[in-house]
Amino acid sequence: MRPSDNTRRRTVLKRAGGGALGAASLSLLAGCADDGGGDGDGDGDGSGNGDGDDGDLNSGDVGDNPVRIGFLIPQTGIFAAQGEAMERGAETTLHQLNEEVGGILDRDVAGFIEDTEGDPGQGRDMARRHVETNDVDVLIGAVSGAVNLSIADYAHDEGVPYFAYGGPEEITGSECRPTTFRYQYSDSQIARTGAKWALENLGENVWIHVADYAFGQSISREWKKAFEASDLEYNIVDETQTPLGHDDYSSVLSQIQSSEADWVLQGFSGSDAVNFLSQSTQFGLEQDIMSTTNTYRPLREGAGSSAVGTYTTIRYEPTYDTEANQTLVDLHTELHDQPPTDFALVIWSSLLRYAEAAEAAGSVETEAIIGELEGMESEEPMGPATMRECDHQAMRKGFVGRITEPNEHDWPGQEIVGELGAEEVTRPCTDTGCEMPDL
Amino acid sequence: MIASQSLPLLAFISVEQAAFLLLNGLALGVLYVLIAAGFAVIFGITDVLNFAHGAFYMVGAYLTLAVVDATGSFFVALIVGPIAVAGIGVVAERLTLSNIYDRSPLYHVLITFGVLLIVTELVEIVWGTGTQFFQTPELLAGAVQVGPIAYPKYRLFTILAGAVIALGTWLLIRYSRFGLILRAGAQDQATARLMGVNIKKYYTLTFALGTFLAAIAGGLASPFLSVNPEMGNGALIIAFVVVAIGGLGSFAGAVVAGLLVGFTQAAVDTFVPALSGFVFYILLLAALLIKPEGILGDYEIRKHAAKLSYDERIPPVPLTDRRVLALLGALLLLPVVGLNTVMSSYGVGLVALMFIWGILALSLDTVTGYTGLISFGHAAFYGVGSYVVALTTLNVTNSFLLSMGAAILVAASIAWLVGAISARLSGLYFAIITFAIGQLLYQMSVSWSGLTGGSNGLSIDRVELLGFVDVSDTVTFYYLALAMLVASYYVAKRIMDSPFGLQLQAIRESERRTTFLGYNTNMAKRRIFAVSGALGGVAGGLFVTLQTFTSPETLFWVVSGDALFAMVLGGVGTLYGPIIGGAVLIGLDQILTIYFDHWRMLLGLILIVIVLFAPRGLVSFYAIGAELLRGERGPFGSAEPEPVEERGD
């Protein structure tokens, strides 16, 4: 059950089927801002099984003139599971802003959710609905890279700040926009983190195996660039691809098995990755496996013990010891009865820095916000971050981890085995291809 | 001898590679045989293409996993889980198929599609949508040395277990009394009945055997293929392809074809990985072109199994009918009066989407409802139409007229080709080949990302009608879609009223008699398929104009299933019924999603009810109602089509 989706559909239907129109009914969209009560009970079950009547993100009564935040979340479609994690992060962050920070500019903060369905056209439509009918001050979210790009473009047209979640280079590269900011790692930051560490620690002979679609192709491209940028010796033994949704990896595994490769770069996610991992365990693959995705919890749950011992770049680790992380973990666990994820982290960092920028600027006016955000330095849950002026990409430390046997939970854990500096993992401004357009 | 024969091969690959290739191919092949076996058994005996086969395979995996969790023993689970699934299969068969074996295969396809929807949603309710971890049993974990290579123990076990199960099934059918009766029933139901055999009971047992085999394949596959609600899709495609290549209804054919496909897949994965996603479809097309009846297909499709016939003709309503004109008038006024009073522009777009689905279902009705060819691949034309409009808009011109013209042309050409390849195949082969072509195009749209944008799809900005009218505007689009719907209906009705249309309906009733009358039926089938493809292309082209976005989802086989559903829901073989069906399906989708998360389960239920109780769909309600008012028939009059099998040709 996805409550806010219900609300959205129901509201739409009211409008299609005879409800009143105009500003009053529009505020109903995605759970209305002044329908207090919300889920302030703090017992979100986390599995999304709440009853359907509550699309409200707001944890308490919000005042007359709240700062309005438009969340773009895939509540249905193939990214629905990620959407749930994102929604939990959104609730946690709103709670923090309203209850702990004391709002933005002494105003309460109200959240609105629209469902992107993981579809770029729909994402753009929903961004429009946020701006035109929910009257939001800032946009945030979207999982799929294509959706991020289509929203970023729209947000710039409308002059609304947008915090992206997706990884594609273009978001802070050739498609950079003055209104777009990204606290999430870019694909090249991930690649530079993993590539350098793996060449130094796993060996110089690598076999690249990716799924033949946008995500896999991007991994292959960025990691090859990162190998080059590392100035280390490397040798690509072979590069192979299987179609998305391929289920038998015996052929490629037997080729890797009998090759001189030291490690394999695994460029896919979801059930493809689960199959690959369980089959490589059955084959007793001697090569190490390096991935960018095994850090994701649903994948660790699906692959179980066959993921143990593989390496992965890490986007977020709840046990990482910083003060900021402790705050995030405590609140998220209190509200949702489970530790936060990377989705929560990025929403948390983005919105808390947005609030800070608004306070410093004394307004939520877009130009002032941009001015404050550019170059902003902050202490984030995973360490210090700087929002770089040249491309609006956050510079953060990169982490590499190893998947470990389950201890605290039913699914395997992860331990951090490598840390690289922000300068080291971020490409220089001159390489980004970003020519920042005017606002 | 063997050594010297394999020498040329060994010149290119090492002994290790050859050993891997052999074992990989064998393991895959045996798995494919197992997946297809249950499907082949059910089809061979009952003539039913069981679309729920993949769903039972998936439930097999889940129930096996559940029993492993409860008992701790994989080997116990591998027997108990599938037996439970067979029980579910029996219940499903008794409630659905067992009542309609004598009907057209169109209804078999639809009712099993309904079962598939329900079963899949039930699994999601119980276990969620995520991937489940299935631990390889301790005893079979890791690899073991086989000659020159180390090979996973579990795969060796799969090869062995699969071979034993396949052999056992073959012996059962070949040498047991049960098998004897099954084969007798398959050859001649009437005679079997005369001999005192309760044939319905044996059909149920056949279904139990088929679902048991599906489930055991699912259980065996789980430790190396992941367990999730999507896994059934792949299995269904495998079953289709293997059975079609082997020869419909031939168990031995399924075994040979399964191994052939497995070895080919392993070899292609190794040597030409770029083609790895296409192996199934290329093999299938090759088999159907070279030997259409399949490798071991001595089987002849029983006449009644391929026919669609009605005892009651419901003629299409003319456009000048007062009720039609009143409805059109209301639809013309709707945005003018309704927008900003009773509906938003979102609502207007929704009604326009209903028009689009009306056109798609109408296009399907021309080949299926009128000509009797069951197409399970209309997504191909819908998707192609949407991609052609998107690509033309992005790369050539944003003129709607030109891009739609291109879409019609391309979709019609592809449809003509499909017709040319498959027209000589009758009935169920037609369903299979259209399905395969649809999936082939789907796979291409995912893989060929340079052109299609791959899984990210394609976004377009705006489309213009004549250089100045922006048809991406919702209200303008609404009128455009309505006009195209009316025009499509007009064209389709004119065709069906013409001598050519009568010829098509004659083909549906009896292709052989039509041929005897001197008509070139293959040519007629190619032509109507081209027309139908063009209409499907129109629907797809309109869809991308409305959404300003298209993705491989438009080519996925579920779209074809939904189109069939819409057609039958409204009223197959009436032209206007499918339009109503398309609109109602979109409406149901929107309404049900508000109140139910698992609304596709309700759709499945509605589908089954319609097939069982109102096979002529919603339009028959109107006709029955009218006749009841005039007192011309009892409440359960002639809505049920009479069995078609008894009509000698």
Side-chain angles (χ1 to χ4, degrees):
Chain A
M1 179 79 54
R2 287 181 272 275
S4 26
D5 185 45
N6 287 348
T7 312
R8 181 180 73 78
R9 298 266 196 181
R10 190 174 303 144
T11 313
V12 166
L13 220 87
K14 268 187 199 154
R15 296 170 66 207
L21 210 99
S25 81
L26 294 177
S27 70
L28 281 169
L29 284 167
C32 66
D34 44 23
D35 169 27
D39 2 335
D41 57 22
D43 273 326
D45 59 11
S47 61
N49 282 330
D51 83 335
D53 228 9
D54 189 7
D56 188 354
L57 266 178
N58 308 308
S59 52
D61 289 318
V62 292
D64 290 339
N65 179 26
V67 173
R68 304 162 84 92
I69 296 174
F71 292 96
L72 291 149
I73 295 181
Q75 295 173 308
T76 53
I78 54 169
F79 297 107
Q82 288 92 321
E84 282 175 26
M86 205 176 239
E87 238 171 285
R88 289 193 285 272
E91 283 169 23
T92 309
T93 308
L94 283 184
H95 191 276
Q96 174 75 4
L97 282 172
N98 281 322
E99 306 300 317
E100 308 298 328
V101 178
I104 296 176
L105 299 167
D106 293 328
R107 291 155 67 190
D108 285 325
V109 183
F112 298 79
I113 295 185
E114 298 290 357
D115 181 8
T116 65
E117 298 175 18
D119 167 336
Q122 181 74 6
R124 199 182 165 103
D125 256 16
M126 292 301 111
R128 181 182 298 142
R129 176 177 281 171
H130 268 320
V131 171
E132 289 177 4
T133 66
N134 299 343
D135 198 21
V136 301
D137 299 295
V138 55
L139 292 166
I140 179 167
V143 174
S144 140
V147 182
N148 274 265
L149 285 165
S150 84
I151 294 171
D153 187 52
Y154 173 77
H156 179 226
D157 289 347
E158 297 295 321
V160 178
Y162 169 52
F163 289 94
Y165 178 85
E169 281 318 300
E170 298 92 318
I171 294 176
T172 53
S174 57
E175 300 288 318
C176 69
R177 298 285 184 270
T179 42
T180 306
F181 293 88
R182 175 159 65 182
Y183 272 93
Q184 172 63 281
Y185 291 113
S186 74
D187 285 349
S188 80
Q189 283 175 320
I190 292 287
R192 280 166 173 255
T193 304
K196 182 149 192 282
W197 184 88
L199 290 179
E200 279 169 353
N201 294 280
L202 303 179
E204 63 186 46
N205 297 308
V206 52
W207 185 300
I208 301 177
H209 185 70
V210 301
D212 188 10
Y213 75 114
F215 175 69
Q217 287 152 1
S218 157
I219 287 189
S220 154
R221 194 173 53 238
E222 294 303 330
W223 280 68
K224 280 189 267 184
K225 278 193 218 159
F227 290 143
E228 205 55 55
S230 71
D231 287 331
L232 295 166
E233 286 287 317
Y234 72 97
N235 167 34
I236 297 174
V237 178
D238 202 348
E239 181 176 356
T240 44
Q241 303 191 332
T242 36
L244 180 63
H246 195 69
D247 48 19
D248 177 65
Y249 294 93
S250 54
S251 294
V252 72
L253 283 169
S254 38
Q255 291 174 57
I256 297 171
Q257 179 82 291
S258 41
S259 77
E260 50 165 348
D262 299 314
W263 56 284
V264 190
L265 171 61
Q266 165 209 320
F268 34 75
S269 190
S271 61
D272 287 12
V274 171
N275 288 341
F276 183 79
L277 291 172
S278 58
Q279 292 174 30
S280 64
T281 308
Q282 288 170 356
F283 262 91
L285 193 71
E286 284 156 12
Q287 282 80 359
D288 287 314
I289 294 176
M290 176 82 201
S291 81
T292 65
T293 50
N294 296 357
T295 182
Y296 288 121
R297 205 174 73 203
L299 205 161
R300 280 186 266 151
E301 284 169 343
S305 59
S306 62
V308 172
T310 64
Y311 297 92
T312 176
T313 50
I314 286 187
R315 291 167 191 267
Y316 178 69
E317 167 53 42
T319 61
Y320 192 67
D321 190 19
T322 64
E323 202 181 318
N325 197 25
Q326 203 54 53
T327 315
L328 169 61
V329 172
D330 288 348
L331 183 59
H332 194 282
T333 311
E334 182 195 330
L335 291 178
H336 303 290
D337 214 18
Q338 58 177 306
T341 57
D342 174 54
F343 298 96
L345 169 75
V346 172
I347 289 186
W348 176 273
S349 293
S350 303
L351 290 183
L352 291 182
R353 296 297 77 76
Y354 173 79
E356 196 182 321
E359 294 291 347
S363 100
V364 291
E365 202 260 318
T366 301
E367 199 169 350
I369 294 277
I370 295 175
E372 291 299 331
L373 278 172
E374 284 181 344
M376 182 182 276
E377 293 178 6
S378 55
E379 284 301 323
E380 300 299 336
M382 295 298 284
T386 307
M387 180 50 72
R388 192 159 76 167
E389 190 179 340
C390 72
D391 59 354
H392 292 186
Q393 172 66 48
M395 296 181 61
R396 298 159 54 187
K397 278 193 286 191
F399 299 92
V400 177
R402 190 177 154 279
I403 306 299
T404 59
E405 294 288 348
N407 42 26
E408 204 179 332
H409 306 281
D410 290 342
W411 57 85
Q414 58 183 10
E415 60 178 357
I416 293 176
V417 294
E419 243 182 75
L420 286 85
E423 293 289 345
E424 215 173 345
V425 303
T426 312
R427 56 186 179 175
C429 279
T430 47
D431 287 2
T432 61
C434 165
E435 290 168 26
M436 195 65 81
D438 291 332
L439 182 61
Chain B
M1 271 314 280
I2 293 167
S4 67
Q5 270 171 0
S6 55
L7 265 181
L9 189 64
L10 288 180
F12 295 102
I13 58 175
S14 65
V15 181
E16 284 82 7
Q17 263 182 318
F20 271 124
L21 204 56
L22 186 72
L23 288 173
N24 288 343
L26 200 57
L28 264 189
V30 166
L31 184 66
Y32 291 169
V33 170
L34 266 190
I35 290 174
F39 189 77
V41 165
I42 292 177
F43 184 83
I45 309 293
T46 68
D47 282 337
V48 169
L49 277 189
N50 178 19
F51 267 76
H53 189 73
F56 288 117
Y57 165 87
M58 170 192 66
V59 177
Y62 274 96
L63 283 184
T64 306
L65 181 57
V67 180
V68 170
D69 284 345
T71 65
S73 164
F74 174 72
F75 301 99
V76 170
L78 204 52
I79 302 299
V80 176
I83 287 176
V85 177
I88 299 172
V90 167
V91 173
E93 192 264 358
R94 279 279 148 179
L95 292 176
T96 61
L97 272 174
S98 109
N99 304 299
I100 60 160
Y101 278 119
D102 53 1
R103 293 242 207 109
S104 153
L106 172 64
Y107 294 108
H108 301 156
V109 165
L110 278 167
I111 211 160
T112 53
F113 186 60
V115 171
L116 165 122
L117 292 177
I118 294 175
V119 170
T120 306
E121 293 293 327
L122 281 176
V123 165
E124 290 190 4
I125 289 172
V126 178
W127 285 284
T129 52
T131 298
Q132 308 272 326
F133 175 56
F134 199 126
Q135 177 89 48
T136 311
E138 198 73 38
L139 194 63
L140 301 171
V144 64
Q145 201 66 30
V146 183
I149 55 168
Y151 203 73
K153 284 187 213 164
Y154 190 78
R155 283 195 187 233
L156 296 172
F157 170 73
T158 309
I159 296 173
L160 190 70
V164 168
I165 295 164
L167 185 69
T169 310
W170 184 74
L171 289 175
L172 180 72
I173 293 175
R174 194 86 192 88
Y175 292 107
S176 73
R177 188 180 147 70
F178 172 72
L180 185 71
I181 294 173
L182 283 191
R183 283 179 293 131
Q187 274 176 11
D188 190 339
Q189 270 196 49
T191 311
R193 257 192 226 116
L194 281 175
M195 308 291 280
V197 173
N198 179 352
I199 207 76
K200 267 203 166 178
K201 188 180 93 184
Y202 280 89
Y203 274 15
T204 306
L205 287 175
T206 306
F207 207 79
L209 177 62
T211 44
F212 176 80
L213 289 172
I216 208 165
L220 265 181
S222 323
F224 65 104
L225 306 183
S226 49
V227 180
N228 62 57
E230 303 290 316
M231 67 190 287
N233 282 336
L236 178 64
I237 291 167
I238 291 169
F240 251 81
V241 169
V242 168
V243 166
I245 293 176
L248 279 178
S250 162
F251 185 78
V255 173
V256 174
L259 292 173
L260 173 76
V261 177
F263 277 107
T264 314
Q265 182 77 57
V268 171
D269 283 356
T270 310
F271 300 115
V272 224
L275 288 180
S276 135
F278 296 97
V279 169
F280 291 165
Y281 309 114
I282 293 171
L283 279 179
L284 176 60
L285 286 176
L288 290 180
L289 286 174
I290 298 165
K291 201 164 185 299
E293 69 276 18
I295 298 174
L296 292 180
D298 50 353
Y299 168 87
E300 194 181 330
I301 293 178
R302 287 172 283 278
K303 281 170 212 108
H304 75 269
K307 276 189 53 167
L308 181 66
S309 186
Y310 322 112
D311 63 328
E312 183 174 27
R313 212 173 148 258
I314 304 178
V317 183
L319 276 170
T320 49
D321 184 285
R322 260 179 306 161
R323 287 161 300 179
V324 176
L325 289 177
L327 179 65
L328 280 179
L331 287 175
L332 278 174
L333 285 177
L334 187 68
V336 182
V337 179
L339 188 61
N340 295 348
T341 54
V342 296
M343 67 202 307
S344 62
S345 80
Y346 180 87
V348 174
L350 193 63
V351 181
L353 187 63
M354 291 178 172
F355 298 158
I356 294 174
W357 269 78
I359 298 175
L360 180 63
L362 168 71
S363 81
L364 187 57
D365 200 30
T366 58
V367 287
T368 304
Y370 275 81
T371 320
L373 299 168
I374 300 170
S375 162
F376 209 91
H378 255 56
F381 314 123
Y382 186 68
V384 163
S386 78
Y387 271 102
V388 171
V389 167
L391 288 171
T392 314
T393 308
L394 285 175
N395 302 319
V396 187
T397 164
N398 69 348
S399 154
F400 177 75
L401 287 182
L402 290 179
S403 59
M404 184 56 97
I408 291 174
L409 209 65
V410 176
S413 313
I414 291 179
W416 189 88
L417 266 177
V418 175
I421 294 172
S422 50
R424 62 200 172 112
L425 308 169
S426 54
L428 294 169
Y429 271 111
F430 198 81
I432 290 178
I433 194 157
T434 47
F435 174 82
I437 288 170
Q439 283 300 111
L440 178 69
L441 289 171
Y442 168 75
Q443 194 66 51
M444 281 171 70
S445 70
V446 174
S447 297
W448 198 359
S449 50
L451 182 71
T452 62
S455 49
N456 282 344
L458 287 175
S459 287
I460 56 175
D461 258 356
R462 61 187 241 143
V463 185
E464 288 171 349
L465 191 54
L466 293 167
F468 53 91
V469 184
D470 177 8
V471 292
S472 307
D473 171 67
T474 311
V475 174
T476 317
F477 180 82
Y478 174 93
Y479 286 111
L480 178 74
L482 180 58
M484 306 273 302
L485 173 63
V486 171
S488 304
Y489 181 70
Y490 178 77
V491 170
K493 183 166 180 309
R494 278 298 292 269
I495 290 175
M496 291 313 158
D497 287 345
S498 72
F500 175 62
L502 293 175
Q503 189 191 333
L504 295 176
Q505 292 165 64
I507 292 174
R508 182 190 70 209
E509 294 298 325
S510 168
E511 183 167 354
R512 197 191 302 181
R513 286 183 194 172
T514 315
T515 315
F516 285 158
L517 289 173
Y519 291 107
N520 182 346
T521 55
N522 282 347
M523 190 171 74
K525 289 198 275 185
R526 284 197 299 271
R527 285 187 180 163
I528 191 60
F529 218 69
V531 171
S532 176
L535 289 175
V538 168
L542 284 173
F543 176 75
V544 70
T545 311
L546 173 66
Q547 299 281 333
T548 64
F549 177 73
T550 189
S551 70
E553 295 304 307
T554 56
L555 286 159
F556 199 52
W557 64 272
V558 172
V559 172
S560 306
D562 284 346
L564 275 174
F565 182 5
M567 177 185 73
V568 171
L569 177 67
V572 58
T574 63
L575 291 187
Y576 70 101
I579 296 177
I580 297 172
V584 171
L585 185 67
I586 295 295
L588 278 178
D589 170 330
Q590 294 290 324
I591 294 168
L592 293 180
T593 44
I594 300 170
Y595 300 104
F596 306 98
D597 264 11
H598 298 278
W599 57 280
R600 285 193 78 84
M601 186 159 87
L602 289 174
L603 278 191
L605 218 53
I606 293 170
L607 181 52
I608 289 173
V609 168
I610 288 277
V611 169
L612 286 179
F613 302 109
R616 292 307 298 277
L618 296 173
V619 297
S620 60
F621 293 169
Y622 184 83
I624 294 169
E627 285 181 29
L628 276 177
L629 281 179
R630 292 197 298 270
E632 283 173 8
R633 73 153 101 189
F636 296 103
S638 48
E640 294 270 334
E642 70 188 43
V644 289
E645 63 182 304
E646 312 297 352
R647 296 182 187 175
D649 269 61

